[in-house]
Amino acid sequence: MPTPDVSRLSNTLTDGVTVYQQVVYTTQDLASGFIERIPYFVAALIVLGIFWLLSILFKKVVHKALGARVRHQNLVKVFQRIGGALILFIGFMIAMVVAIPGFTPAKLIGALGIGSVAIGFAFKDIFQNLLSGILLLISEPFRIGDQIVSGDYEGTVEDIKIRATTIKTYDGRQVVIPNSDLYTSALTVNTAYKQRRLQVAVGIGYEDDIEAAKAEILRALDKADSVSTKAQPSVIATGFGGSSIDLTVRWFIEEGTQANKVASIHQVIVEVKKALDAAGINIPFPIRTIDLSDPSVSAIVDKMQVQQAPATDQQAAK
């Protein structure tokens, strides 16, 4: 007759063997089921590939049919992307029906209905950016190639997607801006118009004639080929500076890109400096006048002289 310890050990071994057999049978069932479903998975992948090719073909057909006829090209992009996404979604649904037994679109819709609140909170920002992207593509406040300023970022628009817009900054960095920020915040489009006004500040001496300086500056602007001839430049006095009369020089350029802006400002500054130097008109730098009659200034000067005296005596002794 077996002892209780031997009986307990035998029961433990029997339970272990039973669990092991269940794991093995379950694994074999899963493996056999997976092997049986491989043709269906392959068929599902083929269906996805076919619908992916159909989405690409759809975009090309839309571009060929509407690209040259529609004035707003962004509308064509909206139609391409929404239509392509819809085709891919239909292909995904069909592939799921093929790959998963018992799957139906009704079950997916029911599952989405149950978790609609959670999905709504989780994808709120995504849906907001999608809607903003569609509205931006339809309203077309800017296009690819335009130079824009949004918040702390400024650069050239590289791509306008439904979720975000990509710009390339002037120092060669890529910035991805959510479309909701572009749609709800103030936006500056530097290249919205062909002409763009630029300005620089110029200071002349108080002893110089303002009208003479203005005439010289206007003649200098005529020599700058980057200055547009379709709009009249101007020179106006804007204030009394600490060391100069402040003048503001304004002119227009034909292409408002950042490269043209920088080049034009450089050219205008060079020509204005040459013209004022040739005319003998002073461009003063800041000047500070010390009033020695002020007691506080006299005390400071006396203190400096006392501090410098020992050094002077040592130099004299040498």
Side-chain angles (χ1 to χ4, degrees):
M1 182 175 180
T3 63
D5 292 338
V6 173
S7 178
R8 191 180 300 109
L9 178 61
S10 176
N11 293 333
T12 303
L13 291 175
T14 302
D15 294 339
V17 171
T18 302
V19 172
Y20 174 76
Q21 289 176 346
Q22 291 177 351
V23 171
V24 171
Y25 293 152
T26 303
T27 304
Q28 290 177 349
D29 291 339
L30 289 175
S32 61
F34 178 77
I35 293 173
E36 291 177 357
R37 300 303 302 178
I38 286 178
Y40 297 95
F41 293 147
V42 173
L45 292 176
I46 293 174
V47 169
L48 279 177
I50 291 173
F51 276 86
W52 178 69
L53 293 175
L54 287 176
S55 68
I56 295 177
L57 180 62
F58 172 80
K59 293 179 181 179
K60 291 183 177 180
V61 170
V62 169
H63 179 73
K64 186 175 181 180
L66 302 178
R69 299 179 183 179
V70 179
R71 179 180 177 184
H72 297 286
Q73 293 298 313
N74 284 340
L75 292 176
V76 178
K77 291 183 180 180
V78 171
F79 190 45
Q80 284 179 319
R81 290 172 179 175
I82 294 178
L86 182 61
I87 292 174
L88 287 176
F89 178 74
I90 295 174
F92 172 77
M93 298 295 290
I94 296 175
M96 292 291 288
V97 171
V98 172
I100 301 176
F103 176 84
T104 60
K107 292 183 179 179
L108 178 61
I109 294 173
L112 291 177
I114 293 173
S116 60
V117 177
I119 292 174
F121 280 108
F123 292 93
K124 184 181 98 170
D125 293 338
I126 295 177
F127 292 150
Q128 185 178 4
N129 287 324
L130 288 175
L131 180 59
S132 299
I134 293 173
L135 293 175
L136 283 174
L137 289 170
I138 293 175
S139 60
E140 202 175 22
F142 55 86
R143 301 178 181 179
I144 294 176
D146 280 338
Q147 295 181 353
I148 65 174
V149 181
S150 176
D152 297 331
Y153 303 106
E154 180 176 358
T156 304
V157 178
E158 288 190 321
D159 193 10
I160 307 172
K161 299 180 180 179
I162 295 181
R163 192 195 68 83
T165 296
T166 304
I167 68 172
K168 182 179 180 181
T169 60
Y170 302 134
D171 56 355
R173 295 178 296 167
Q174 186 182 75
V175 180
V176 180
I177 305 176
N179 286 330
S180 59
D181 293 346
L182 294 176
Y183 190 75
T184 58
S185 303
L187 177 71
T188 303
V189 183
N190 290 332
T191 53
Y193 305 105
K194 291 184 178 180
Q195 287 188 338
R196 181 177 178 183
R197 194 187 74 178
L198 305 177
Q199 67 179 41
V200 294
V202 180
I204 62 172
Y206 276 94
E207 69 279 3
D208 295 313
D209 183 79
I210 296 177
E211 293 300 326
K214 176 180 177 180
E216 293 295 334
I217 292 174
L218 290 176
R219 280 193 287 269
L221 292 176
D222 291 337
K223 297 179 181 178
D225 54 12
S226 62
V227 176
S228 174
T229 58
K230 297 180 181 179
Q232 187 68 26
S234 64
V235 179
I236 58 174
T238 55
F240 296 94
S243 305
S244 63
I245 297 292
D246 297 330
L247 306 179
T248 299
V249 183
R250 295 174 177 171
W251 73 97
F252 287 84
I253 58 176
E254 288 300 323
E255 297 293 336
T257 63
Q258 183 69 11
N260 292 341
K261 171 188 172 183
V262 173
S264 182
I265 290 176
H266 170 77
Q267 187 180 31
V268 166
I269 290 176
V270 170
E271 294 295 338
V272 169
K273 176 69 165 55
K274 289 180 180 179
L276 294 181
D277 288 344
I281 297 175
N282 184 29
I283 303 178
F285 51 84
I287 300 174
R288 298 291 181 265
T289 302
I290 300 177
D291 186 4
L292 296 179
S293 63
D294 190 334
S296 61
V297 176
S298 300
I300 294 174
V301 173
D302 293 340
K303 185 177 179 180
M304 292 175 61
Q305 290 176 349
V306 170
Q307 292 176 349
Q308 292 176 356
T312 304
D313 293 342
Q314 291 177 3
Q315 291 177 358
K318 291 180 180 180

